[in-house]
Amino acid sequence: MIVDGKVTGNVEFVAALIQKTVGGDLFAIKTVQTYPGGYNQLLEATQNEQRVNARPRLATHISDLQSYDTIFLGYPIWWYDLPQPLYTFLDEYNFAGKTIIPFTVHVGSRLFSTVEKITQLEPRANVIQDGLAISRNSVARSERDVIPWLRRIGVTR
Ligand SMILES: Cc1cc2nc3c(=O)[nH]c(=O)nc-3n(C[C@H](O)[C@H](O)[C@H](O)COP(=O)(O)O)c2cc1C
């Protein structure tokens, strides 16, 4: 996505839209090792990571998770699944008693089974099952999906 001449990730764009509507803080899950810029290399690297169920080290950490009750968790679908760094992220924190609200940007898989996976990994969290799936082609006009969804799940009126 190009916004005001700057390149923005698709998930980042939707995250910013959610934040604009409900408030809260934005946090980017970043890995220590950056992913290859070339598309084919990226596909290969991420497929290998998935094959070995890798836990890529994270470069960013939340120091005060206790001050948050609700976490919108956004991610692209990679190979019909959560990107492996999301597994590292879910391993790292204790989300017991917190509400996790999943959303994704995809090119056809929608959420696939990622909400079920998050629910299994975080049995003591309240994982909202009605996650949001935005197609990459409609990210630029996703406000019309995001706002009704936020109302439906009860976070905004
Ligand atoms: C390595 C890789 C694997 C992907 N696998 C899928 C997939 O299985 N299903 C799907 O719908 N989209 C898939 N996509 C498309 C991403 O979901 C899509 O590019 C997303 O919009 C990226 O968001 P971002 O710009 O925030 O990274 C894949 C993309 C990449 C780079």
Side-chain angles (χ1 to χ4, degrees):
M1 286 285 291
I2 313 278
V3 181
D4 299 333
K6 276 194 288 180
V7 178
T8 303
N10 291 288
V11 172
E12 190 179 3
F13 180 85
V14 177
L17 201 55
I18 293 170
Q19 189 211 22
K20 196 179 86 181
T21 313
V22 305
D25 299 318
L26 279 176
F27 173 79
I29 301 172
K30 292 188 177 169
T31 51
V32 172
Q33 235 186 330
T34 52
Y35 285 88
Y39 199 64
N40 287 336
Q41 290 92 323
L42 175 64
L43 293 185
E44 198 183 317
T46 52
Q47 205 163 33
N48 286 337
E49 270 188 2
Q50 193 181 70
R51 193 176 311 124
V52 300
N53 196 16
R55 293 291 184 275
R57 282 182 54 214
L58 301 185
T60 53
H61 306 275
I62 302 172
S63 55
D64 57 343
L65 189 71
Q66 70 277 5
S67 43
Y68 298 92
D69 296 324
T70 301
I71 293 102
F72 285 85
L73 188 61
Y75 45 87
I77 294 289
W78 280 3
W79 304 112
Y80 304 100
D81 207 335
L82 296 165
Q84 291 303 132
L86 267 287
Y87 285 98
T88 316
F89 180 82
L90 292 169
D91 282 352
E92 181 170 335
Y93 302 96
N94 178 6
F95 292 103
K98 299 192 187 293
T99 297
I100 299 178
I101 309 179
F103 66 96
T104 195
V105 179
H106 66 99
V107 293
S109 303
R110 305 191 60 84
L111 284 150
F112 208 66
S113 49
T114 57
V115 176
E116 289 82 350
K117 291 210 168 139
I118 296 167
T119 307
Q120 275 166 17
L121 291 167
E122 302 298 336
R124 298 176 64 208
N126 169 29
V127 181
I128 299 299
Q129 300 297 301
D130 184 9
L132 178 70
I134 299 282
S135 164
R136 190 170 63 187
N137 295 335
S138 48
V139 166
R141 24 177 218 285
S142 56
E143 200 157 353
R144 66 182 183 199
D145 296 313
V146 170
I147 309 292
W149 170 68
L150 289 170
R151 282 200 198 108
R152 197 164 73 231
I153 61 172
V155 279
T156 183
R157 285 200 290 164

PDB file of all heavy atoms in Angstrom, residues 9-11 39 42-43 46 76-80 105-109 136, ligand 1:
ATOM      1  N   GLY A   9       2.479  -1.591   5.054  1.00  0.00           N
ATOM      2  CA  GLY A   9       1.988  -2.960   4.932  1.00  0.00           C
ATOM      3  C   GLY A   9       0.472  -2.979   4.935  1.00  0.00           C
ATOM      4  O   GLY A   9      -0.171  -2.089   5.494  1.00  0.00           O
ATOM      5  N   ASN A  10      -0.081  -4.000   4.331  1.00  0.00           N
ATOM      6  CA  ASN A  10      -1.543  -4.108   4.273  1.00  0.00           C
ATOM      7  C   ASN A  10      -2.140  -4.288   5.665  1.00  0.00           C
ATOM      8  O   ASN A  10      -3.135  -3.641   6.018  1.00  0.00           O
ATOM      9  CB  ASN A  10      -1.932  -5.288   3.383  1.00  0.00           C
ATOM     10  CG  ASN A  10      -1.601  -5.022   1.935  1.00  0.00           C
ATOM     11  OD1 ASN A  10      -2.250  -4.214   1.287  1.00  0.00           O
ATOM     12  ND2 ASN A  10      -0.579  -5.677   1.417  1.00  0.00           N
ATOM     13  N   VAL A  11      -1.527  -5.171   6.445  1.00  0.00           N
ATOM     14  CA  VAL A  11      -2.031  -5.413   7.802  1.00  0.00           C
ATOM     15  C   VAL A  11      -1.863  -4.143   8.636  1.00  0.00           C
ATOM     16  O   VAL A  11      -2.743  -3.761   9.412  1.00  0.00           O
ATOM     17  CB  VAL A  11      -1.305  -6.613   8.447  1.00  0.00           C
ATOM     18  CG1 VAL A  11      -1.682  -6.755   9.918  1.00  0.00           C
ATOM     19  CG2 VAL A  11      -1.622  -7.899   7.688  1.00  0.00           C
ATOM     20  N   TYR A  39      10.533 -11.750  -3.956  1.00  0.00           N
ATOM     21  CA  TYR A  39       9.306 -12.492  -3.682  1.00  0.00           C
ATOM     22  C   TYR A  39       9.556 -13.994  -3.598  1.00  0.00           C
ATOM     23  O   TYR A  39       9.119 -14.647  -2.654  1.00  0.00           O
ATOM     24  CB  TYR A  39       8.247 -12.166  -4.742  1.00  0.00           C
ATOM     25  CG  TYR A  39       6.856 -12.509  -4.283  1.00  0.00           C
ATOM     26  CD1 TYR A  39       6.277 -11.851  -3.184  1.00  0.00           C
ATOM     27  CD2 TYR A  39       6.111 -13.489  -4.924  1.00  0.00           C
ATOM     28  CE1 TYR A  39       5.007 -12.167  -2.745  1.00  0.00           C
ATOM     29  CE2 TYR A  39       4.829 -13.809  -4.487  1.00  0.00           C
ATOM     30  CZ  TYR A  39       4.285 -13.150  -3.400  1.00  0.00           C
ATOM     31  OH  TYR A  39       3.023 -13.465  -2.968  1.00  0.00           O
ATOM     32  N   LEU A  42      11.386 -14.914  -0.540  1.00  0.00           N
ATOM     33  CA  LEU A  42      10.494 -14.789   0.615  1.00  0.00           C
ATOM     34  C   LEU A  42       9.602 -16.021   0.726  1.00  0.00           C
ATOM     35  O   LEU A  42       9.420 -16.581   1.807  1.00  0.00           O
ATOM     36  CB  LEU A  42       9.634 -13.519   0.482  1.00  0.00           C
ATOM     37  CG  LEU A  42       8.562 -13.323   1.555  1.00  0.00           C
ATOM     38  CD1 LEU A  42       9.188 -13.142   2.924  1.00  0.00           C
ATOM     39  CD2 LEU A  42       7.679 -12.124   1.225  1.00  0.00           C
ATOM     40  N   LEU A  43       9.065 -16.458  -0.412  1.00  0.00           N
ATOM     41  CA  LEU A  43       8.198 -17.634  -0.399  1.00  0.00           C
ATOM     42  C   LEU A  43       8.956 -18.839   0.120  1.00  0.00           C
ATOM     43  O   LEU A  43       8.463 -19.598   0.952  1.00  0.00           O
ATOM     44  CB  LEU A  43       7.644 -17.924  -1.810  1.00  0.00           C
ATOM     45  CG  LEU A  43       6.676 -16.893  -2.391  1.00  0.00           C
ATOM     46  CD1 LEU A  43       6.132 -17.374  -3.722  1.00  0.00           C
ATOM     47  CD2 LEU A  43       5.518 -16.597  -1.440  1.00  0.00           C
ATOM     48  N   THR A  46       9.850 -18.563   3.988  1.00  0.00           N
ATOM     49  CA  THR A  46       8.710 -18.724   4.889  1.00  0.00           C
ATOM     50  C   THR A  46       8.170 -20.155   4.850  1.00  0.00           C
ATOM     51  O   THR A  46       7.715 -20.685   5.863  1.00  0.00           O
ATOM     52  CB  THR A  46       7.576 -17.741   4.525  1.00  0.00           C
ATOM     53  OG1 THR A  46       7.270 -17.873   3.129  1.00  0.00           O
ATOM     54  CG2 THR A  46       7.981 -16.315   4.817  1.00  0.00           C
ATOM     55  N   PRO A  76      -0.735 -11.202   8.267  1.00  0.00           N
ATOM     56  CA  PRO A  76      -1.066 -11.702   6.922  1.00  0.00           C
ATOM     57  C   PRO A  76      -1.191 -13.220   6.997  1.00  0.00           C
ATOM     58  O   PRO A  76      -0.612 -13.838   7.896  1.00  0.00           O
ATOM     59  CB  PRO A  76       0.161 -11.315   6.094  1.00  0.00           C
ATOM     60  CG  PRO A  76       1.289 -11.275   7.066  1.00  0.00           C
ATOM     61  CD  PRO A  76       0.691 -10.873   8.396  1.00  0.00           C
ATOM     62  N   ILE A  77      -1.961 -13.812   6.115  1.00  0.00           N
ATOM     63  CA  ILE A  77      -1.981 -15.273   6.016  1.00  0.00           C
ATOM     64  C   ILE A  77      -0.752 -15.678   5.210  1.00  0.00           C
ATOM     65  O   ILE A  77      -0.514 -15.152   4.121  1.00  0.00           O
ATOM     66  CB  ILE A  77      -3.261 -15.769   5.304  1.00  0.00           C
ATOM     67  CG1 ILE A  77      -4.504 -15.454   6.136  1.00  0.00           C
ATOM     68  CG2 ILE A  77      -3.165 -17.272   5.018  1.00  0.00           C
ATOM     69  CD1 ILE A  77      -4.674 -16.258   7.406  1.00  0.00           C
ATOM     70  N   TRP A  78       0.034 -16.574   5.767  1.00  0.00           N
ATOM     71  CA  TRP A  78       1.175 -17.132   5.044  1.00  0.00           C
ATOM     72  C   TRP A  78       0.987 -18.638   4.944  1.00  0.00           C
ATOM     73  O   TRP A  78       0.930 -19.313   5.989  1.00  0.00           O
ATOM     74  CB  TRP A  78       2.482 -16.834   5.786  1.00  0.00           C
ATOM     75  CG  TRP A  78       3.020 -15.444   5.566  1.00  0.00           C
ATOM     76  CD1 TRP A  78       2.450 -14.428   4.846  1.00  0.00           C
ATOM     77  CD2 TRP A  78       4.262 -14.912   6.069  1.00  0.00           C
ATOM     78  NE1 TRP A  78       3.245 -13.309   4.878  1.00  0.00           N
ATOM     79  CE2 TRP A  78       4.370 -13.577   5.617  1.00  0.00           C
ATOM     80  CE3 TRP A  78       5.281 -15.437   6.859  1.00  0.00           C
ATOM     81  CZ2 TRP A  78       5.453 -12.758   5.922  1.00  0.00           C
ATOM     82  CZ3 TRP A  78       6.363 -14.626   7.169  1.00  0.00           C
ATOM     83  CH2 TRP A  78       6.454 -13.307   6.696  1.00  0.00           C
ATOM     84  N   TRP A  79       0.869 -19.107   3.755  1.00  0.00           N
ATOM     85  CA  TRP A  79       0.726 -20.565   3.557  1.00  0.00           C
ATOM     86  C   TRP A  79      -0.408 -21.124   4.415  1.00  0.00           C
ATOM     87  O   TRP A  79      -0.217 -22.042   5.180  1.00  0.00           O
ATOM     88  CB  TRP A  79       2.047 -21.289   3.860  1.00  0.00           C
ATOM     89  CG  TRP A  79       3.209 -20.768   3.053  1.00  0.00           C
ATOM     90  CD1 TRP A  79       4.286 -20.073   3.529  1.00  0.00           C
ATOM     91  CD2 TRP A  79       3.404 -20.880   1.655  1.00  0.00           C
ATOM     92  NE1 TRP A  79       5.129 -19.748   2.509  1.00  0.00           N
ATOM     93  CE2 TRP A  79       4.612 -20.234   1.350  1.00  0.00           C
ATOM     94  CE3 TRP A  79       2.677 -21.467   0.606  1.00  0.00           C
ATOM     95  CZ2 TRP A  79       5.118 -20.143   0.049  1.00  0.00           C
ATOM     96  CZ3 TRP A  79       3.182 -21.383  -0.686  1.00  0.00           C
ATOM     97  CH2 TRP A  79       4.380 -20.732  -0.948  1.00  0.00           C
ATOM     98  N   TYR A  80      -1.577 -20.531   4.288  1.00  0.00           N
ATOM     99  CA  TYR A  80      -2.786 -20.995   4.984  1.00  0.00           C
ATOM    100  C   TYR A  80      -2.627 -21.021   6.499  1.00  0.00           C
ATOM    101  O   TYR A  80      -3.273 -21.818   7.179  1.00  0.00           O
ATOM    102  CB  TYR A  80      -3.185 -22.411   4.494  1.00  0.00           C
ATOM    103  CG  TYR A  80      -3.373 -22.480   3.006  1.00  0.00           C
ATOM    104  CD1 TYR A  80      -2.373 -22.980   2.173  1.00  0.00           C
ATOM    105  CD2 TYR A  80      -4.553 -22.013   2.427  1.00  0.00           C
ATOM    106  CE1 TYR A  80      -2.535 -23.017   0.803  1.00  0.00           C
ATOM    107  CE2 TYR A  80      -4.738 -22.052   1.057  1.00  0.00           C
ATOM    108  CZ  TYR A  80      -3.710 -22.554   0.250  1.00  0.00           C
ATOM    109  OH  TYR A  80      -3.890 -22.587  -1.110  1.00  0.00           O
ATOM    110  N   VAL A 105      -5.202  -9.922   6.554  1.00  0.00           N
ATOM    111  CA  VAL A 105      -5.308  -9.558   5.133  1.00  0.00           C
ATOM    112  C   VAL A 105      -4.805 -10.774   4.366  1.00  0.00           C
ATOM    113  O   VAL A 105      -3.787 -11.359   4.716  1.00  0.00           O
ATOM    114  CB  VAL A 105      -4.471  -8.308   4.788  1.00  0.00           C
ATOM    115  CG1 VAL A 105      -4.589  -7.991   3.297  1.00  0.00           C
ATOM    116  CG2 VAL A 105      -4.913  -7.111   5.625  1.00  0.00           C
ATOM    117  N   HIS A 106      -5.562 -11.161   3.348  1.00  0.00           N
ATOM    118  CA  HIS A 106      -5.285 -12.408   2.629  1.00  0.00           C
ATOM    119  C   HIS A 106      -5.510 -12.190   1.132  1.00  0.00           C
ATOM    120  O   HIS A 106      -5.963 -11.123   0.726  1.00  0.00           O
ATOM    121  CB  HIS A 106      -6.249 -13.484   3.150  1.00  0.00           C
ATOM    122  CG  HIS A 106      -7.680 -13.154   2.798  1.00  0.00           C
ATOM    123  ND1 HIS A 106      -8.340 -13.711   1.737  1.00  0.00           N
ATOM    124  CD2 HIS A 106      -8.548 -12.253   3.342  1.00  0.00           C
ATOM    125  CE1 HIS A 106      -9.559 -13.197   1.655  1.00  0.00           C
ATOM    126  NE2 HIS A 106      -9.703 -12.310   2.614  1.00  0.00           N
ATOM    127  N   VAL A 107      -5.212 -13.220   0.341  1.00  0.00           N
ATOM    128  CA  VAL A 107      -5.547 -13.111  -1.088  1.00  0.00           C
ATOM    129  C   VAL A 107      -6.549 -14.192  -1.503  1.00  0.00           C
ATOM    130  O   VAL A 107      -6.688 -14.481  -2.684  1.00  0.00           O
ATOM    131  CB  VAL A 107      -4.296 -13.164  -2.000  1.00  0.00           C
ATOM    132  CG1 VAL A 107      -3.423 -11.946  -1.796  1.00  0.00           C
ATOM    133  CG2 VAL A 107      -3.498 -14.454  -1.803  1.00  0.00           C
ATOM    134  N   GLY A 108      -7.213 -14.787  -0.540  1.00  0.00           N
ATOM    135  CA  GLY A 108      -8.222 -15.785  -0.883  1.00  0.00           C
ATOM    136  C   GLY A 108      -8.517 -16.768   0.244  1.00  0.00           C
ATOM    137  O   GLY A 108      -9.602 -17.331   0.299  1.00  0.00           O
ATOM    138  N   SER A 109      -7.571 -16.972   1.126  1.00  0.00           N
ATOM    139  CA  SER A 109      -7.750 -17.977   2.190  1.00  0.00           C
ATOM    140  C   SER A 109      -8.615 -17.484   3.347  1.00  0.00           C
ATOM    141  O   SER A 109      -8.928 -18.263   4.241  1.00  0.00           O
ATOM    142  CB  SER A 109      -6.402 -18.398   2.754  1.00  0.00           C
ATOM    143  OG  SER A 109      -5.580 -18.898   1.755  1.00  0.00           O
ATOM    144  N   ARG A 136      -6.695  -8.549   0.126  1.00  0.00           N
ATOM    145  CA  ARG A 136      -5.660  -7.553  -0.191  1.00  0.00           C
ATOM    146  C   ARG A 136      -6.144  -6.548  -1.231  1.00  0.00           C
ATOM    147  O   ARG A 136      -5.788  -5.376  -1.185  1.00  0.00           O
ATOM    148  CB  ARG A 136      -4.385  -8.255  -0.672  1.00  0.00           C
ATOM    149  CG  ARG A 136      -3.213  -7.323  -0.797  1.00  0.00           C
ATOM    150  CD  ARG A 136      -1.930  -8.049  -1.023  1.00  0.00           C
ATOM    151  NE  ARG A 136      -1.937  -8.787  -2.280  1.00  0.00           N
ATOM    152  CZ  ARG A 136      -0.971  -9.631  -2.645  1.00  0.00           C
ATOM    153  NH1 ARG A 136       0.048  -9.850  -1.852  1.00  0.00           N
ATOM    154  NH2 ARG A 136      -1.044 -10.263  -3.787  1.00  0.00           N
TER     155      ARG A 136
HETATM  156  C1  LIG B   1       5.003 -15.972   2.062  1.00  0.00           C
HETATM  157  C2  LIG B   1       3.596 -15.630   1.759  1.00  0.00           C
HETATM  158  C3  LIG B   1       2.615 -16.620   1.810  1.00  0.00           C
HETATM  159  C4  LIG B   1       1.276 -16.293   1.586  1.00  0.00           C
HETATM  160  N1  LIG B   1       0.309 -17.270   1.688  1.00  0.00           N
HETATM  161  C5  LIG B   1      -1.005 -16.941   1.521  1.00  0.00           C
HETATM  162  C6  LIG B   1      -2.037 -17.910   1.676  1.00  0.00           C
HETATM  163  O1  LIG B   1      -1.809 -19.084   1.963  1.00  0.00           O
HETATM  164  N2  LIG B   1      -3.326 -17.498   1.508  1.00  0.00           N
HETATM  165  C7  LIG B   1      -3.650 -16.206   1.208  1.00  0.00           C
HETATM  166  O2  LIG B   1      -4.841 -15.895   1.086  1.00  0.00           O
HETATM  167  N3  LIG B   1      -2.679 -15.261   1.056  1.00  0.00           N
HETATM  168  C8  LIG B   1      -1.374 -15.602   1.197  1.00  0.00           C
HETATM  169  N4  LIG B   1      -0.405 -14.643   1.041  1.00  0.00           N
HETATM  170  C9  LIG B   1      -0.797 -13.280   0.718  1.00  0.00           C
HETATM  171  C10 LIG B   1      -0.793 -12.386   1.956  1.00  0.00           C
HETATM  172  O3  LIG B   1      -1.808 -12.795   2.848  1.00  0.00           O
HETATM  173  C11 LIG B   1      -0.991 -10.970   1.492  1.00  0.00           C
HETATM  174  O4  LIG B   1       0.107 -10.633   0.700  1.00  0.00           O
HETATM  175  C12 LIG B   1      -1.154  -9.963   2.626  1.00  0.00           C
HETATM  176  O5  LIG B   1      -1.935  -8.933   2.139  1.00  0.00           O
HETATM  177  C13 LIG B   1       0.159  -9.381   3.079  1.00  0.00           C
HETATM  178  O6  LIG B   1      -0.071  -8.367   4.050  1.00  0.00           O
HETATM  179  P1  LIG B   1       1.138  -7.385   4.433  1.00  0.00           P
HETATM  180  O7  LIG B   1       1.290  -6.398   3.314  1.00  0.00           O
HETATM  181  O8  LIG B   1       0.737  -6.713   5.697  1.00  0.00           O
HETATM  182  O9  LIG B   1       2.339  -8.255   4.579  1.00  0.00           O
HETATM  183  C14 LIG B   1       0.928 -14.963   1.238  1.00  0.00           C
HETATM  184  C15 LIG B   1       1.940 -13.991   1.154  1.00  0.00           C
HETATM  185  C16 LIG B   1       3.238 -14.304   1.411  1.00  0.00           C
HETATM  186  C17 LIG B   1       4.275 -13.230   1.304  1.00  0.00           C
END
